[in-house]
Amino acid sequence: MMLHQVEERLQNHQPRTIDAQLPEAAVLIPITNASEPELVFTRRAPHMNTHSGEVAFPGGKRDLSDRDLIHTALRESFEEIALPPEAVRIIGQTGSVVSRFGLEVTPIVGIMEADTPLRANMAELDRIFKVPLSYFLDKDNLTFNHWKLRNQDYMMPSFYYGEYLIWGLTAVMLVEFLNITLDADILLNAPHFNSHFPRAKGMFQSCSMDG
């Protein structure tokens, strides 16, 4: 029932676009089709130059040879977690966001078989893990990180799951997905929706988290 609602909402959703003229990237939001649907996440390896140790959806920059951003998301997912493109059924996408490194990132949503074997590319990742979709709908699992950017305050959502912290751009994309598809109604006022965000790189400060 939950997956049916997710698919139906995405089919009727008009994703936001950002006319930023920035390099493009895409991530896959993979959902397992188990009786208890789960989202698949990765954790970046500590030796990576960017995003080291951060939790992320599989994905990356668009190559010139990529047909479209769906192709980008599937190619990167195969390279990072050995998820075969044919094992994913694409059901839609959510709005583009801007990363602090100046990329316009488009989240692509796909459903995969729950028992699909995955393998982390250790050159880029140190972990693959899954989180029940229902976990993110429990408000007790939600915290907010207060950001101040150019004299404006933002309430940035984040989630702790065991040893993992899901925050930043990944949390922004996750929460927008939850709000669109499952009526999560989580406050989301993120600078990542603004094409000027990358030019503010390095100009924000984060404050303490509140439950």
Side-chain angles (χ1 to χ4, degrees):
M1 186 66 181
M2 184 181 289
L3 287 184
H4 176 75
Q5 178 173 322
V6 167
E7 187 166 1
E8 185 177 69
R9 292 290 180 84
L10 287 175
Q11 287 175 349
N12 296 316
H13 177 64
Q14 184 63 45
R16 174 188 59 258
T17 58
I18 299 175
D19 185 19
Q21 297 184 337
L22 294 171
E24 291 182 300
V27 300
L28 182 68
I29 300 181
I31 313 172
T32 66
N33 66 352
S35 55
E36 173 71 50
E38 297 174 303
L39 295 179
V40 179
F41 294 89
T42 70
R43 188 170 68 185
R44 310 296 292 178
H47 64 261
M48 297 294 290
N49 291 329
T50 60
H51 305 294
S52 61
E54 293 185 10
V55 169
F57 292 115
K61 290 183 181 179
R62 181 177 185 173
D63 283 350
L64 291 177
S65 58
D66 291 343
R67 295 186 302 275
D68 51 30
L69 290 172
I70 291 175
H71 188 275
T72 302
L74 293 175
R75 175 183 54 75
E76 287 282 345
S77 296
F78 181 70
E79 293 175 5
E80 291 185 0
I81 63 174
L83 176 60
E86 62 272 16
V88 183
R89 182 169 63 87
I90 301 300
I91 60 173
Q93 67 185 65
T94 57
S96 298
V97 292
V98 178
S99 81
R100 69 181 187 270
F101 293 101
L103 294 172
E104 182 175 349
V105 184
T106 299
I108 306 296
V109 184
I111 296 176
M112 56 177 281
E113 293 293 330
D115 58 355
T116 302
L118 302 174
R119 183 182 67 257
N121 178 350
M122 301 306 290
E124 299 184 29
L125 312 175
D126 75 351
R127 198 71 55 84
I128 300 170
F129 66 99
K130 299 176 182 178
V131 183
L133 193 49
S134 59
Y135 180 86
F136 299 109
L137 301 178
D138 185 342
K139 295 296 177 66
D140 290 339
N141 298 324
L142 172 67
T143 61
F144 283 96
N145 189 6
H146 296 262
W147 276 14
K148 191 174 185 65
L149 171 62
R150 291 179 172 175
N151 296 318
Q152 183 171 348
D153 292 319
Y154 295 93
M155 293 285 287
M156 301 296 293
S158 58
F159 299 87
Y160 286 95
Y161 185 74
E163 66 183 279
Y164 306 107
L165 170 61
I166 302 168
W167 70 289
L169 187 67
T170 299
V172 168
M173 293 186 289
L174 169 62
V175 166
E176 184 167 45
F177 163 77
L178 297 171
N179 286 345
I180 291 167
T181 61
L182 295 169
D183 301 316
D185 195 28
I186 298 172
L187 176 67
L188 187 56
N189 176 25
H192 306 76
F193 300 150
N194 190 318
S195 63
H196 297 294
F197 177 56
R199 289 197 283 276
K201 183 168 55 179
M203 296 178 62
F204 63 85
Q205 61 187 49
S206 61
C207 305
S208 60
M209 288 190 178
D210 292 338

